[in-house]
Amino acid sequence: MATTVVMPQLGESVVEGTVGKWFKQVGDKVEQYEPVMEVITDKVTTEIPSPATGILLQILVPEGMTVKAGTVLAVIGAPGEQVSAPAPTVQVAAPAQPTIQRTNEPTSQRTTNLRLTPVVARMIAENQITDAELATIRGTGEGGRISKKDIEMFLKTRGAKPAELAPWEQPGTGELFRPTEEVFGKPTAPPSPTPARSGAGEEIVPLSPMRKAIAEHMVRSKHIAPHVTTVHEADLSRIIEYQKAHEAEFAQQGVKLTFTAFFVQAAVAALKAFPIVNASFTEQGIVMKRDLNIGIAVAIDDGLIVPVIKHADEKSLLGIARAVNDLATRAREKRLQPDEVQGGTFTITNYGVFGSLFGTPVINQPQSAILGVGAIQKRPVVIHDAIAIRPMIYLALTFDHRLLDGAIGDQFMQKFKRFLEEYPAI
């Protein structure tokens, strides 16, 4: 009996995925649990195992196409087995969210998979906002959620002609103001391996799904949160001494002791001292996070991914170093699970490995802050009125000014700096 391969729902908020690559072709034999394809989402790139042993009879969704969770991607069966074209979708294995029925009926007569607050849902129903209208509302709440303020703004301009609106409320025209998907469209076939020519001396290289996701996430973050960056300098003499003294000891346990592990420890100490930095801003209020889940930005071939060290405050230096090694390795090998890139409350990005002294990183929504780590350089510094050479590093904290003020940001960084300069803590 034929078995279907279905686009999984890779997390509560992940409702679609892009087929990145098929590892098998029609006619190939596949073993149960053998990776059969690669799926790219805005969260992670992961391999999907075969649900059964057999022959790959049909591939229904080509590489590069983006489809909803539950869509049938392929069919596996016995050699020579004849199968009829399956239905385009099946029941999603994960608990399904209520779905939107795309009609022009008032929202009160349908359900929605938009994660709305009761107040917003009631406003939509009372004002009979249709799906077509709802699709035009850009959510400014946490994770792009539509807020009460968004609905009020929509109702204020609903039905008005462009000439009746103030200039700053009129929709813009041109490529700059159009969503990425409207400009480029969602791929309906595998992208051409040859870049398209756009004119003399120019060419257009198609955006990968991951690059699109990164672009949209960064633009949304800048749109949502007012970014402020504060830069501090730290002396890493004691960290380097400790790392050299214990490097061999950690290696005997199969763990490479990198500086990232110390930065995670410093972040934990600073977040405990200033828990507001571990919080998130929403229209309903400040969401205080009890868990300290530290995201570590990892550069990969086609972009950037941020695996998360869950409950970092419960781990020793050895445990953190092991987690950093494991997550970074599997991120580059595209073997992360969706849950391993979700739930972060604070992010560290180490652009210093590429020689950068300092930068102004963009907040990883819905978090309130991100720490950028620069290159370690020996520089002359004044200590007790004498010039000394020390391994120095610039640390840049970008934070959401809606939630954090400069005083808190600087105090957080002072705690982070002291932890590194006084390591190990006495």
Side-chain angles (χ1 to χ4, degrees):
M1 182 177 178
T3 302
T4 56
V5 180
V6 177
M7 176 64 74
Q9 184 164 346
L10 299 171
E12 180 182 353
S13 61
V14 183
V15 298
E16 65 181 18
T18 300
V19 177
K21 182 186 299 183
W22 282 101
F23 301 135
K24 299 288 184 177
Q25 300 301 318
V26 173
D28 290 350
K29 182 178 180 180
V30 294
E31 299 291 336
Q32 187 175 20
Y33 307 126
E34 178 185 10
V36 68
M37 62 175 295
E38 176 185 83
V39 169
I40 303 171
T41 74
D42 61 347
K43 304 289 185 182
V44 70
T45 298
T46 189
E47 296 177 349
I48 303 301
S50 172
T53 297
I55 302 297
L56 185 58
L57 301 177
Q58 291 181 335
I59 292 179
L60 302 173
V61 178
E63 293 178 358
M65 179 174 285
T66 301
V67 295
K68 297 292 185 181
T71 300
V72 178
L73 306 174
V75 180
I76 296 173
E81 182 177 356
Q82 298 296 316
V83 294
S84 58
T89 58
V90 297
Q91 182 66 38
V92 181
Q97 300 293 322
T99 58
I100 287 183
Q101 299 173 1
R102 290 296 174 188
T103 70
N104 287 324
E105 296 176 0
T107 305
S108 59
Q109 299 177 20
R110 52 183 166 79
T111 55
T112 177
N113 68 351
L114 298 174
R115 298 169 62 192
L116 306 173
T117 64
V119 173
V120 172
R122 185 172 65 252
M123 292 176 68
I124 292 173
E126 290 176 350
N127 292 280
Q128 297 186 327
I129 299 175
T130 66
D131 280 334
E133 293 174 317
L134 201 60
T136 66
I137 303 175
R138 171 175 290 184
T140 60
E142 181 183 6
R145 183 180 298 182
I146 295 176
S147 67
K148 177 182 177 182
K149 180 180 177 181
D150 299 326
I151 297 295
E152 289 174 343
M153 182 59 68
F154 168 78
L155 294 175
K156 178 181 177 182
T157 59
R158 186 185 197 182
K161 297 179 181 179
E164 297 174 338
L165 302 178
W168 54 85
E169 292 180 342
Q170 295 185 29
T173 58
E175 302 300 292
L176 178 63
F177 297 95
R178 293 172 59 193
T180 301
E181 289 182 2
E182 289 185 15
V183 177
F184 296 98
K186 287 194 175 182
T188 56
S192 171
T194 305
R197 297 289 175 180
S198 64
E202 296 180 354
E203 62 182 25
I204 298 175
V205 178
L207 294 172
S208 68
M210 174 168 284
R211 179 50 54 191
K212 276 189 177 182
I214 292 173
E216 291 168 358
H217 189 63
M218 294 297 98
V219 170
R220 184 167 60 85
S221 181
K222 279 286 193 176
H223 174 75
I224 291 174
H227 284 51
V228 177
T229 302
T230 180
V231 180
H232 291 245
E233 190 176 27
D235 180 349
L236 290 193
S237 297
R238 298 190 66 165
I239 292 292
I240 292 175
E241 290 175 3
Y242 190 96
Q243 192 266 349
K244 288 182 177 178
H246 294 82
E247 188 175 16
E249 173 190 334
F250 277 59
Q252 290 177 354
Q253 301 187 61
V255 177
K256 182 178 181 181
L257 181 56
T258 65
F259 294 121
T260 300
F262 297 99
F263 298 143
V264 172
Q265 275 197 320
V268 167
L271 290 170
K272 284 184 175 180
F274 300 94
I276 190 67
V277 182
N278 200 55
S280 292
F281 181 92
T282 72
E283 295 293 334
Q284 292 73 38
I286 298 173
V287 180
M288 302 296 296
K289 307 290 182 65
R290 295 187 177 90
D291 296 333
L292 299 182
N293 299 333
I294 311 298
I296 305 296
V298 178
I300 58 178
D301 291 340
D302 53 349
L304 185 74
I305 197 166
V306 186
V308 178
I309 301 175
K310 303 289 180 65
H311 307 290
D313 55 319
E314 299 177 1
K315 291 179 169 59
S316 64
L317 180 63
L318 175 63
I320 291 174
R322 179 176 283 117
V324 168
N325 291 181
D326 173 59
L327 291 172
T329 298
R330 289 192 292 114
R332 296 187 180 100
E333 296 174 353
K334 298 182 178 180
R335 294 191 293 110
L336 289 174
Q337 297 300 310
D339 287 346
E340 294 176 314
V341 295
Q342 298 184 41
T345 59
F346 183 83
T347 295
I348 297 174
T349 178
N350 187 354
Y351 39 71
V353 296
F354 303 107
S356 175
L357 294 181
F358 65 84
T360 55
V362 179
I363 298 168
N364 187 12
Q365 294 295 329
Q367 298 168 25
S368 65
I370 180 172
L371 180 79
V373 178
I376 302 172
Q377 286 190 331
K378 287 187 176 181
R379 291 196 289 272
V381 295
V382 177
I383 301 177
H384 302 305
D385 293 332
I387 296 177
I389 304 299
R390 292 288 187 270
M392 306 300 292
I393 189 172
Y394 290 115
L395 305 166
L397 180 75
T398 296
F399 56 90
D400 185 343
H401 213 335
R402 297 175 303 172
L403 183 62
L404 306 175
D405 295 323
I408 294 295
D410 288 336
Q411 290 175 61
F412 174 91
M413 289 305 298
Q414 284 298 316
K415 178 68 176 181
F416 192 99
K417 169 186 167 79
R418 285 197 302 271
F419 183 92
L420 296 176
E421 294 183 337
E422 298 173 3
Y423 199 92
I426 299 174

